[in-house]
Amino acid sequence: MIVLGIETSCDETAAAIVTDAREIRADVVLSQLDDHTPYGGVVPEIAARAHLQHLDGLIRRAMAESGLGFADIDAVAATGGPGLIGGVIVGVMTAKAIAAARGLPFVAVNHLEGHALTARLTDDVPFPYLLLLVSGGHCQLLVVEGVGQYRRLGTTIDDAVGEAFDKTAKLLGLGYPGGPLLEKAAALATNPGRFDLPRPMVGRPGCDFSFSGLKTAVRRHVEELGTPLSAEDQADLAAAFQATVAEVMADRCARAMRRFKETHPQGGALVVAGGVAANKTLRARLQKLADREAMPFVAPPLRLCTDNAAMIAWAGIERFRLGQTDSLDFAPRPRWPLDPTAKPAIGKAGVGSGVKA
């Protein structure tokens, strides 16, 4: 089985060809970083226009790199949500057009499920497993029991962790995108224990997250130090923030592990996915936790943590081989929770899965 995957949910335009033998025949991604950096964040209208401008060419490039033609494709999968609706529409309409023209099945993939199933593409992780899904828009702990079968144990009550990275990097004067720039600055710290930051939710019952108070604490330190910060101040604060986030994540994951083991005594892996999963400090902290709890730990290769179309193609394969396809009247979804039965998050907007899902 060979599937063409298309990803256009935010600020990466991507196309990939993946087989059911877990072979990535092509995986091309065009970043829109230069388009959005002047604004300090993603501008939805600019993102949608860039997807429209570049997607056809990326699909042609993916087909050429794979050495395959449309006659070799068994299905077309595209991100159907959640995400910036303009970009999602571009990807969905392109996939529908290819499917209609070639008489192929169309699969609308939940972007979050793409991240959730990446470990099965890269490491053939069996169900069930415990998933920490962390990105710029999402921060959740979920039990993954099967394709389309997710039970949320915890979510953020305010900022997603990737959003907290971006906002903290801006406070420190590091620029955009915040995650990789803050990690780079933290690596230069000469006194990483210099700043004592609060550890929101650590030790509390449940598996929810909170990052707004941590961000506020960083802002107060910045105000006390005065701007612009020196390179030393930037590095030490970045290191303190990064270490604190890793400790918070480990505490929340430890609680989720205990709940997971209660309901699934046969065991399973701890999997981390999403853009923030590329952070090496976080990965090392979670590996240490998993070793302590005697659970396998799986983190996808760095290039498959950020948004890509290989994960969308693979999720399409997972659904397609279960007979799950979508009609050409599928409506793109700006919000699409993995666990629709989960109670609404109590944070901003009151929406319930992510906080933004």
Side-chain angles (χ1 to χ4, degrees), residues 298-313:
V298 177
L302 298 184
R303 67 183 183 87
L304 293 181
C305 290
T306 53
D307 291 349
N308 63 88
M311 70 179 190
I312 302 303

Side-chain angles (χ1 to χ4, degrees), residues 229-302:
L229 296 178
S230 68
E232 182 181 1
D233 290 340
Q234 285 179 326
D236 289 347
L237 260 176
F241 174 84
Q242 183 174 254
T244 300
V245 168
E247 184 174 339
V248 170
M249 288 290 180
D251 176 83
R252 303 288 86 192
C253 285
R255 291 183 173 274
M257 286 169 149
R258 289 193 284 272
R259 291 179 58 180
F260 176 74
K261 290 178 178 180
E262 289 173 358
T263 56
H264 298 85
Q266 73 275 27
L270 170 64
V271 174
V272 63
V276 181
N279 183 279
K280 296 181 179 64
T281 297
L282 176 60
R283 290 162 82 104
R285 187 66 180 82
L286 294 178
Q287 178 70 70
K288 183 178 179 181
L289 172 65
D291 291 344
R292 189 188 77 193
E293 297 293 329
M295 285 180 68
F297 175 65
V298 177
L302 298 184

